[in-house]
Amino acid sequence: MSGPSDYQPSNPALQWIERRLPIFGLIHSSFVAYPTPRNLNYWWTFGAILSFMLGMQILTGVILAMHYTPNADLAFKSVELIVRDVNYGWLLRNMHAVGASMFFVAVYVHMFRGLYYGSYKEPREVLWILGVIIYLLMMATGFMGYVLPWGQMSFWGATVITNLFSAVPYVGESIVTLLWGGYSVGNPTLNRFFSLHYLLPFVIAGVVVLHVWALHVAGQNNPDGVEPKTEKDTVPFTPHATIKDMFGVACFLLLYAWFIFYMPNYLGDADNYIPANPGVTPPHIVPEWYYLPFYAILRSIPDKLAGVIAMFGAIIILCFLPWLDSAKTRSSKYRPLAKQFFWIFVAVCILLGYLGAQPPEGIYVIAGRVLTFCYFAYFLIVLPLLARIEKPRPVPNSISDAVLAKTGSRSTPMVSTAIVLALAGSLFAGSIDSAKASEGSDTPPGNKWSFSGPFGTFDRGALQRGLKVYKEVCSSCHGLSYIAFRNLAEAGGPGYSVAQASAFASEYKVKDGPNDAGDMFERPGRPADYFPSPFPNEQAARAANGGAAPPDLSLITKARSYKRGFPWFIFDVFTQYQEQGPDYVTALLQGYEEKVPEGVTIPEGSYFNRYFPGHAIKMPKPLSDGQVTYDDGSPATVAQYAKDVTTFLMWTAEPHMEARKRLGFQVFVFLIVFAGLMYFTKKKVWAASH
Amino acid sequence: MNPDASTIAAGAPIEVDLSPIAEGQDIKVFWRGKPIYISHRTKKQIEEARAVNVASLPDPQSDEARVKSGHDQWLVVIGICTHLGCIPIAHEGSYDGFFCPCHGSVYDTSGRIRQGPAPSNLAVPPYQFVSDTKIQIG
């Protein structure tokens, strides 16, 4: 894309095409011969990583769309069926859902890199603005994609975000009706979001082409921020940059795979495993993590319109960055003050993200206001001021000088490190404080589960016993509507044979019809049938249970969670702890107490449960010692029942968990070998250039 | 992209029978996909709503203007927080009215905003009394 190429393919067929459409010359000049600065560091591989992620999202998304149903009544179920029944559907869905998060991880690194090295400065303003447009499109796409599974967080996230537009004076309400296609978020909203979610990635791809075009006109910036002057300053894109990017992508894939195979729900919200319910608002509405800093800005401003303006302003201000920062020196490497403020700004963004996930009360509101001020001050006060008062260190004459001198200063940013530590400390103190304050329920104790960890498998005995407990106790009130009898005989499940599953199914009466006479009739269950629900509809369930409908248990261990708090949620990434749901369910089953503690009032018809949020639960104590007889000699105690039925419900929530962890191990072995090969190839290729 | 004909048709007026709602109770009905709270207010709640100085409210509106005269015990409001559209919880918050769990807006017994980020009072849907114990919403 940098002017006409003199490249001529040697193959006559390619020559024939080349004379009519010089596409090989274009590719050759853009991605093979293209001169790339020889001092680029690994932060520059994120461009390739982002292209890879975009391709990945489009590919997995197109396949997912083949199985997804964009209808308010069917969407949630269709997503569950993708995960349960489509070949490798669980993998596709994890890749796509985690992929969205990874896409944002990469884009944030890419943006901060641009910020640090001044990649937005003359002559790269248009390149930078195109990047901001891509980022905005990504946010819209990500938001609409999050709505599609039609869980509680999808629905209420959509409600809150579309309501942002009602803040616009005069026309706000009409805009919101136009977005909804109705009087509230509903089926028409889901349909149009699906359409747009499919369209926007291709718009992004189009803007990416412009972004790369602009990049290849202006040329890449580099860590020293001096333009290449001679041949010595650059290396050809292929093989140098190509192989380095491949190594970068391979390393990024390791991170990506960690989440896909071992922590697929870590970045999501447990509430999204509850189907959308327009009548109940979840207690905390939290957007996806990548919007949290902006959500925090929105909430820290007490006025509605001003809050919305500040939130959008926080992104739009990036477009003006090239003119707000008028310093001549590009790279912060040579700007001692700018470097400090950059790291402070990074800390501000991360802390805003943390605050966005906290309830809007007490210290969090004040901290949010202070940090919102800091965010805008960085762009509107610090950068313009630094351009005038800062005395930058001298920049090297050329890139090759910089490479030879290896001038990279090794002084650690002491001031900003201290500030970050102080802020993190105060937040830690704050979170302990609020944990003490919210005496709503006790934290469930941790348990040892057979299915935890990277090599976890289900204990077959526990699954079979759990099924018995479910059948004899839970099933009188709770449905299990996503589980079919055939699942009992599938690999990774309770380990029954097909014949046993059929026999189990035939014990159930399943409603079928209409027959030729037009009547509904009952027949014995078949393996393909799903567990029948105890109540015909939610209203009946509600009426029979004193106003509280017993939830379906298929997904309960993924739909329930409790707050881990700082810093535990960071440790969890490394320990792969993700058993909040099972820990909660098993604790709840054992958490009943006859004696209500002082200071707690339990309404008529409710029971005291130590672990239930608010303590007043409508479900009477379900399990008691000796209630279910075990054939295998396991103790017939409440503790054992609770543990077994929780294990069983973990399997119903994710029947393919064993396949996920097994494939994960194979993928990791492959990726580590691949990344190693890439690294040594890269070393060889770059041997002459360093 | 505006609502299609069937969506508009489904948004036709509905009738609600008020006779089963005891004093101090409230019900939630759905109209046009929006939850509507119908509260049968107690004497105390009505007095609380009328005792405040209207001019001091963030969105000044008298209680009389928000209910139908002669049916002062009935408060009918759209249960959608005017901030960002969550559903406030009835009988909660420091004003005995509604409390929005999302961003902490507090409404009084007349559905008027008293505290928090919401800019205006809970909206009153169009409705009229068909008889003493029946209303038509829409």
Side-chain angles (χ1 to χ4, degrees), chain A residues 183 192 278-279 281 295 304, chain B residues 1 28 34 82-83 85 87 103:
Chain A
Y183 302 109
R192 62 194 53 190
T281 312
Y295 194 59
K304 181 175 173 179
Chain B
M1 301 225 300
K28 193 162 70 173
K34 293 172 181 168
T82 52
H83 182 226
I87 300 182
H103 304 100

Side-chain angles (χ1 to χ4, degrees), chain A residues 156 159-161 163-164 166 174 177-185 188 192 196 277-285 295 298-299 301-304 308 360, chain B residues 1-4 7-12 28 30-35 37 80-89 100-104 116-120:
Chain A
W156 289 99
T159 302
V160 168
I161 302 293
N163 264 307
L164 292 179
S166 70
S174 336
T177 307
L178 205 67
L179 286 173
W180 289 340
Y183 302 109
S184 56
V185 174
R192 62 194 53 190
L196 292 173
N277 182 350
V280 180
T281 312
H284 291 304
I285 295 187
Y295 194 59
L298 168 79
R299 292 198 310 190
I301 300 206
D303 180 75
K304 181 175 173 179
V308 173
Chain B
M1 301 225 300
N2 262 322
D4 63 16
T7 309
I8 293 169
K28 193 162 70 173
F30 275 85
W31 176 64
R32 293 189 164 181
K34 293 172 181 168
Y37 277 113
I80 290 183
C81 181
T82 52
H83 182 226
L84 292 172
C86 298
I87 300 182
I89 304 163
C100 180
C102 292
H103 304 100
S120 53

Side-chain angles (χ1 to χ4, degrees), chain A residues 278-279, chain B residues 11-14 16 18 21 26-39 75-80 87-88 90 98 122-127 135-138:
Chain B
I14 54 162
V16 183
L18 304 180
I21 313 169
D26 53 76
I27 59 162
K28 193 162 70 173
V29 295
F30 275 85
W31 176 64
R32 293 189 164 181
K34 293 172 181 168
I36 304 218
Y37 277 113
I38 304 174
S39 329
L75 175 74
V76 182
V77 288
I78 298 181
I80 290 183
I87 300 182
F98 303 86
L122 290 179
V124 177
Y127 73 97
I135 57 168
Q136 186 192 43
I137 300 175

Side-chain angles (χ1 to χ4, degrees), chain A residues 634-658:
Chain A
S634 300
T637 57
V638 170
Q640 185 67 29
Y641 293 152
K643 197 150 190 208
D644 289 343
V645 81
T646 307
T647 306
F648 173 68
L649 291 176
M650 190 63 219
W651 169 73
T652 64
E654 200 185 350
H656 296 298
M657 189 211 75
E658 291 188 7

Side-chain angles (χ1 to χ4, degrees), chain B residues 60-119:
Chain B
Q61 214 179 6
S62 70
D63 184 56
E64 285 84 351
R66 295 175 56 79
V67 297
K68 304 280 183 213
S69 65
H71 301 286
D72 299 305
Q73 72 273 41
W74 295 105
L75 175 74
V76 182
V77 288
I78 298 181
I80 290 183
C81 181
T82 52
H83 182 226
L84 292 172
C86 298
I87 300 182
I89 304 163
H91 298 302
E92 277 203 23
S94 38
Y95 292 91
D96 201 15
F98 303 86
F99 171 74
C100 180
C102 292
H103 304 100
S105 294
V106 185
Y107 301 88
D108 65 11
T109 54
S110 186
R112 289 173 298 196
I113 180 68
R114 299 296 283 269
Q115 232 177 46

